[in-house]
């Protein structure tokens, strides 16, 4: 309640989105299997949730498994699915106590019953929390999101003229969050890889070479400093006064 009355510092993003990339390379450098990198990636995620909450960030959305990651070798995919179960049983209590509300965004139909119920457990156990919302994009793709939103709108029988950007947004997987202000990708690649195609229209982008298992407070603060120095114009002109109506 009090939180909503406090004026948010505009230099701190309300919503940070992260493509957590580089786990495989981090493991390879240590002559370890890729899943070793993913395990350390979970620890980096828990660290980052904590750091974001401490800095007053209200929403954190992370890309954990893309619609395209099914193309990976079977042992890596099944290792990632098992890791969901391990991560939920290891960290759910801690995150719940720290005021984290967990939401899963993505197509749940293709994942196993065990993974689905672990996600359901995480959502149910944290639904009452308000400090920070952690949205985990799992079996998520930006194109999938746009298509599923259109399908839901059509299924409701909306007429074409009833559909505008705000209405379609209500059907998108992240309708519970404002658009991301800051979009970070670790791992050195400078691409979106089908993450929040709709929602990131005006996000500030930060790409870092840091591999995800090494991400922590220092890298987050560097991205936040970069964000604070940006001028967001949303297509407008800086410091423009609204045009006075001509008589
Ligand atoms: C990101 O790390 C995690 C997932 C896609 C699940 P990667 O596994 O893509 O790591 P790199 O990019 O191969 O190093
Ligand atoms: C994006 O990373 C997906 C996640 C981090 C979950 P990828 O490693 O799958 O992306 P590409 O293949 O480099 O574009
Ligand atoms: Mg990658």
């Amino acid at each position: 309640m009090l939180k909503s009355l406090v004026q948010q510092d505009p230099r701190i993003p309300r919503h940070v989105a992260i493509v957590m990339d580089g786990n495989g390379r981090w493991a390879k450098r240590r002559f370890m299997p890729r899943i070793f990198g993913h395990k350390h990636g979970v620890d980096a995620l828990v660290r980052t949730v904590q750091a974001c909450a401490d800095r007053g960030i209200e929403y954190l959305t992370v890309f954990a498994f893309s619609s395209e990651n099914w193309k990976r070798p079977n042992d890596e995919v099944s290792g990632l699915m098992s890791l969901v179960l391990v991560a939920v049983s290891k960290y759910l209590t801690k995150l719940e106590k720290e005021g984290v509300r967990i939401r899963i965004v993505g197509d749940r139909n293709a994942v196993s019953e065990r993974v689905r119920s672990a996600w359901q457990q995480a959502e149910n156990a944290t639904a009452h929390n308000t400090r920070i919302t952690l949205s985990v994009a799992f079996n998520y793709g930006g194109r999938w999101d746009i298509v599923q939103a259109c399908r839901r709108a059509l299924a409701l029988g909306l007429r074409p003229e009833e559909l505008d950007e705000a209405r379609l947004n209500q059907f998108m997987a992240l309708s519970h969050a404002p658009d991301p202000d800051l979009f970070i990708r670790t791992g050195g690649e400078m691409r979106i890889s089908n993450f929040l195609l709709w929602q990131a229209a005006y996000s500030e982008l930060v790409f870092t070479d840091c591999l995800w298992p090494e991400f922590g407070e220092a890298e987050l603060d560097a991205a936040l400093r970069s964000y604070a120095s940006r001028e967001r114009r949303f297509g407008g002109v800086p410091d423009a006064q609204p045009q006075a109506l001509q008589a």
Side-chain angles (χ1 to χ4, degrees), residues 19-21 63-66 69 72 137 185 189 191-193:
V19 178
M20 308 184 291
D21 194 28
F63 207 5
F65 190 85
S66 79
N69 287 149
R72 295 188 176 204
R185 181 174 184 144
E189 311 288 3
R191 55 178 172 254
I192 309 275
S193 296

Side-chain angles (χ1 to χ4, degrees), residues 2 21 58 103 134 212:
L2 185 63
D21 194 28
E58 296 168 69
R103 298 290 297 259
L134 168 66
W212 176 249

Side-chain angles (χ1 to χ4, degrees), residues 36-53:
F36 181 73
H38 297 313
K39 282 186 188 139
H40 283 265
V42 174
D43 299 337
L45 172 57
V46 173
R47 253 190 338 258
T48 303
V49 177
Q50 177 79 64
C52 286

